[in-house]
Amino acid sequence: SPKLQAGAVVTATGTGEVLGLLGDKHARYNGFNRALDANRPIGSLIKPAIYLSALSQPDKYNLASLLTDQAFKIEFQDGQTWSPQNFDHKVHGDIPLHQALSKSYNLSTARLGLELGIPAVHDTLQKLGIKKALNPYPSLFLGAQSLSPFEVSQFYQTIASNGFNMPLRAIREVTDNQGETLSRYPFEIEQVISPEATFLVHHALQDVMRSGTGR
């Protein structure tokens, strides 16, 4: 369709280097850069951060922990209510944590987020590399948070790198016309999420493709 647009970011898992960045479906278009500046609600892309928050507490949660996938409603002080639904408009009862993630169930994910608390999920997102102000409401758990493709790449980079945060970089160094280095942008790395929790999320995300929504 001529109306469809795209933005894409490709990074190297081990270094955080930006290998490719596309801001428009026409590669040489010099206008609005969707990869950097198109902020959209990220929806279910946020869910691994919630499950990371849980699995970082191994005394409370593991892949077999039972979560409740049942409807609920929250009423706020201003009288507004929030009552999420699953995509299939069904409920699934008590299900293991890994299934809730692989099937991308909204109800069990939102209930888990409420158990963990918004501050815990905020903390995980910030550790993963999100620097902007975050949605302070429970709708955050289902992706009511606008990010650019570049920002999403940053926090998935940390997940893909086994919990090591490495700021994305597109420049290694700047040199003069004689090849002398004027400034250098060194590789930075920091372990921000336990490798055990990250491994478990990797396993569950593989289930997304084996038997979940990605199948």
Side-chain angles (χ1 to χ4, degrees):
S1 168
K3 294 182 179 180
L4 291 178
Q5 266 294 352
V9 181
V10 180
T11 65
T13 303
T15 64
E17 292 186 332
V18 177
L19 303 179
L21 189 145
L22 186 70
D24 189 280
K25 69 179 181 181
H26 301 294
R28 290 177 174 81
Y29 177 69
N30 293 320
F32 182 62
N33 189 324
R34 288 166 182 81
L36 298 177
D37 301 318
N39 286 277
R40 301 287 184 271
I42 65 172
S44 291
L45 289 175
I46 204 168
K47 288 177 179 174
I50 298 165
Y51 288 88
L52 264 180
S53 299
L55 294 168
S56 296
Q57 303 177 45
D59 55 325
K60 294 182 179 180
Y61 300 98
N62 57 61
L63 290 180
S65 295
L66 289 179
L67 303 181
T68 300
D69 194 74
Q70 293 286 355
F72 67 93
K73 180 170 70 174
I74 296 176
E75 185 168 345
F76 300 102
Q77 290 181 340
D78 61 3
Q80 295 191 53
T81 61
W82 186 60
S83 52
Q85 295 184 19
N86 284 325
F87 183 77
D88 59 6
H89 298 286
K90 298 177 181 179
V91 297
H92 306 92
D94 291 337
I95 55 173
L97 183 147
H98 71 86
Q99 182 181 342
L101 176 53
S102 68
K103 298 290 188 180
S104 193
Y105 291 146
N106 289 338
L107 292 173
S108 44
T109 299
R111 284 177 175 272
L112 176 61
L114 290 169
E115 285 181 18
L116 295 165
I118 293 172
V121 176
H122 278 189
D123 182 61
T124 297
L125 287 166
Q126 288 163 350
K127 286 179 178 177
L128 292 174
I130 302 303
K131 301 186 184 303
K132 67 169 48 172
L134 293 166
N135 176 357
Y137 301 107
S139 55
L140 170 74
F141 305 140
L142 301 183
Q145 173 69 48
S146 292
L147 297 176
S148 69
F150 190 83
E151 289 170 313
V152 173
S153 295
Q154 175 64 76
F155 91 74
Y156 269 87
Q157 171 81 20
T158 307
I159 295 173
S161 301
N162 298 313
F164 286 93
N165 177 267
M166 49 194 77
L168 299 185
R169 59 192 184 128
I171 301 173
R172 293 179 183 174
E173 61 182 13
V174 177
T175 65
D176 62 17
N177 60 358
Q178 301 299 316
E180 294 294 324
T181 298
L182 300 176
S183 57
R184 188 183 299 273
Y185 298 86
F187 176 61
E188 299 177 19
I189 188 168
E190 179 186 6
Q191 178 104 47
V192 292
I193 304 290
S194 77
E196 294 84 3
T198 311
F199 173 83
L200 293 175
V201 167
H202 283 189
H203 182 82
L205 290 176
Q206 290 167 15
D207 279 346
V208 172
M209 303 307 295
R210 284 192 289 256
S211 59
T213 56
R215 185 178 180 185

